[in-house]
Amino acid sequence: MNIALTILIAVLAFGFLIFIHEFGHYFFARLFRVSIKEFSIGMGPKLVYWDSKKTGIRYGIGMFPIGGYVAMVGENDGSEDPDAADDPNAFDKKPAWQRFIITAAGAAVNILAGFLAMILVVSLTARIGGTTVHSFLNEEERAEYGYTVSTEDSGLKAGDKILAVDGKRVTVIEELSYEIMRRGIEPIDVTVLRDGEKIVLRDVVFPTEEADGEKFGAFDFRVYAVEKNVGSVLSTSFKKSVMTVRMCWESLFDLISGRYSVKAVSGPVGVTSAIGQAASYGFVNLLNMIVLISISLGVMNLLPIPALDGGRLITVLFEMITKKRLPPKVEGIINGVGLIVLLLLSFIIMIKDILQLIL
C-alpha cells in the first residue's frame, strides 16, 4: 500500500480512537459539572480551534496526532491552578467517586467502542468458526508450513469438539487459536467431547512456528463453522472482546516475565505499519486491527502506572478507602516522573520500530 495512504489511514484511526477516549473524560466531566478549559485532539500548536461563547471551553485540533487531552480546572494540582481556588466546580473539589468515574471513562469508552466494532467485524465475517475438528492438514500442507508433527498422532480425532486447552475453556475458533498459540509450545492436555463423552487427551503435541524470534504453538486442523445468527454473532463478539482484554494483560505479563522480548512491543510507527498491512487485506481486516488497538488502548491506560489513567485511579481509590487524600504536590511529582519514563520508553520503542522497517 502507498506509504502516504497508510499514514493517512493510521492518523485517522489514531485520531478517532483518541477522540472517543478524551470524549469519555469530557462527557462525564460535563455530566458532573466540572469546569473545563480546553478539549483538544492532538498535541502541540493548534491547527484550528474554536472558543464556545456559552461554556468558555476551547475546542481544538493540535498539529501532532499523538494524543489529546481534556484540561479541567483543578485537575492536577488545585493549589497551583489560579482558576481552581474560587471555583466550586473545579475537578479537585468534586467527590472522589465522581473523579474516579471521570478518570476511568476514557479507557472504558475505548473498550466499549472496541466491543461494538467487534460486532460489526463478526457480522461481516463470512463464517464463525467453532471448536469441533473437521479435518487435519495432509502431508503436503504440513510440509508447506514446515510442521513436523501432527496432533492426530497425539490422539486428536476428526469430530472431536475441543472444550479446553491446558485447562482453559474454549468455545470459538479465536479462543482455541489463542490458547494453542500461547500454550502449545510444549505438550499440553486437551479436553474434548467425543461421542458424548468428555475425554482428556494427555500431552498433546502441537506444531510450532517462529516470528521475530518468538516461538508460538499452531494448530494443524480445520474446524466446523457454527450457525451464524444474532445470538452467535453477539456471543462471539463478546468472547473475542474478552479474549482481547486477556491477551493484553497476559502479553504484558509475558513481556515482564521475559517470555517475550522487547522486539514484540510496538509503538505508533510499528502500529502504523500493521494498520497499512491490515488495510491491504480489506476493510474487515483493517477494522479488526482498529478494534484490537482500541481495546488495547483502553486496557493499557488502566495499568496502575503513574501518568496513566490507571495510576490516577489508584490515588483516587486510595482516597476512597482511607478517606485521606494524597497531597497534590506528591501526586504531581509521581505523575511527572511516570510521564518522563513513559516518554523515554516510547522513544526507545519508536527507534526500534523504525530500525525494523529500514533494516
Side-chain angles (χ1 to χ4, degrees):
M1 177 176 285
N2 182 279
I3 295 178
L5 182 58
T6 296
I7 294 175
L8 176 61
I9 293 173
V11 168
L12 292 175
F14 276 123
F16 175 73
L17 296 180
I18 291 167
F19 169 74
I20 62 175
H21 179 94
E22 297 303 328
F23 182 78
H25 295 309
Y26 171 84
F27 176 83
F28 282 96
R30 292 297 304 273
L31 182 67
F32 295 133
R33 300 183 182 279
V34 175
S35 297
I36 299 174
K37 297 179 181 180
E38 187 176 355
F39 178 38
S40 175
I41 302 301
M43 308 294 284
K46 293 291 180 288
L47 294 176
V48 293
Y49 67 88
W50 168 66
D51 294 321
S52 171
K53 294 181 180 179
K54 182 178 180 180
T55 64
I57 300 173
R58 169 166 289 189
Y59 300 90
I61 299 177
M63 181 178 294
F64 306 109
I66 56 174
Y69 58 88
V70 178
M72 294 175 278
V73 175
E75 179 181 5
N76 296 312
D77 186 351
S79 64
E80 296 182 2
D81 188 342
D83 297 320
D86 301 320
D87 190 344
N89 288 320
F91 178 80
D92 64 317
K93 291 185 174 67
K94 293 297 180 179
W97 66 271
Q98 291 186 4
R99 285 184 277 120
F100 188 92
I101 292 175
I102 293 170
T103 303
V109 168
N110 276 128
I111 294 173
L112 177 61
F115 169 68
L116 294 177
M118 186 72 83
I119 296 176
L120 181 58
V121 169
V122 176
S123 298
L124 294 175
T125 302
R127 62 195 294 273
I128 298 176
T131 62
T132 301
V133 179
H134 176 273
S135 58
F136 295 87
L137 300 182
N138 57 39
E139 289 185 10
E140 288 185 5
E141 291 170 322
R142 287 204 300 272
E144 181 181 350
Y145 289 107
Y147 298 162
T148 58
V149 298
S150 170
T151 50
E152 192 172 16
D153 295 333
S154 294
L156 196 63
K157 295 182 178 181
D160 285 349
K161 182 177 183 179
I162 301 176
L163 305 177
V165 176
D166 199 28
K168 293 290 183 179
R169 184 170 175 264
V170 294
T171 57
V172 292
I173 183 62
E174 289 80 10
E175 291 176 329
L176 176 61
S177 177
Y178 174 65
E179 297 301 343
I180 292 175
M181 179 193 73
R182 188 166 189 271
R183 305 170 189 279
I185 57 177
E186 57 186 23
I188 50 177
D189 295 342
V190 176
T191 304
V192 303
L193 186 66
R194 181 183 296 170
D195 299 327
E197 181 182 358
K198 188 182 292 187
I199 300 173
V200 178
L201 305 176
R202 302 292 182 186
D203 297 328
V204 176
V205 179
F206 288 90
T208 57
E209 296 179 350
E210 285 195 13
D212 297 325
E214 309 295 342
K215 192 175 182 180
F216 303 98
F219 58 91
D220 60 340
F221 52 85
R222 304 175 182 86
V223 297
Y224 284 100
V226 299
E227 182 182 356
K228 192 174 180 180
N229 51 44
V230 174
S232 63
V233 167
L234 291 177
S235 175
T236 301
S237 301
F238 177 76
K239 290 171 182 175
K240 287 185 64 174
S241 298
V242 172
M243 184 197 70
T244 302
V245 172
R246 270 189 55 216
M247 184 171 61
C248 293
W249 284 107
E250 291 179 346
S251 296
L252 181 64
F253 174 79
D254 289 340
L255 181 64
I256 294 173
S257 66
R259 176 176 176 178
Y260 297 149
S261 69
V262 72
K263 291 181 179 180
V265 182
S266 286
V269 174
V271 174
T272 297
S273 176
I275 287 176
Q277 190 173 22
S280 67
Y281 288 107
F283 174 73
V284 174
N285 284 284
L286 174 61
L287 185 59
N288 196 45
M289 173 62 68
I290 293 174
V291 168
L292 175 61
I293 296 171
S294 184
I295 294 178
S296 298
L297 180 63
V299 172
M300 294 305 170
N301 257 283
L302 291 177
L303 293 175
I305 298 174
L308 293 182
D309 291 339
R312 297 174 185 272
L313 288 175
I314 292 297
T315 60
V316 178
L317 189 61
F318 172 82
E319 177 186 345
M320 294 170 68
I321 294 173
T322 65
K323 307 301 180 184
K324 295 180 180 180
R325 193 165 187 172
L326 195 67
K329 289 186 178 180
V330 174
E331 184 177 353
I333 292 173
I334 293 174
N335 287 328
V337 172
L339 180 60
I340 292 173
V341 173
L342 285 175
L343 289 175
L344 179 60
L345 181 60
S346 298
F347 178 75
I348 294 172
I349 293 173
M350 181 183 69
I351 296 299
K352 184 269 299 180
D353 286 342
I354 293 174
L355 291 176
Q356 283 186 334
L357 286 175
I358 64 178
L359 294 180

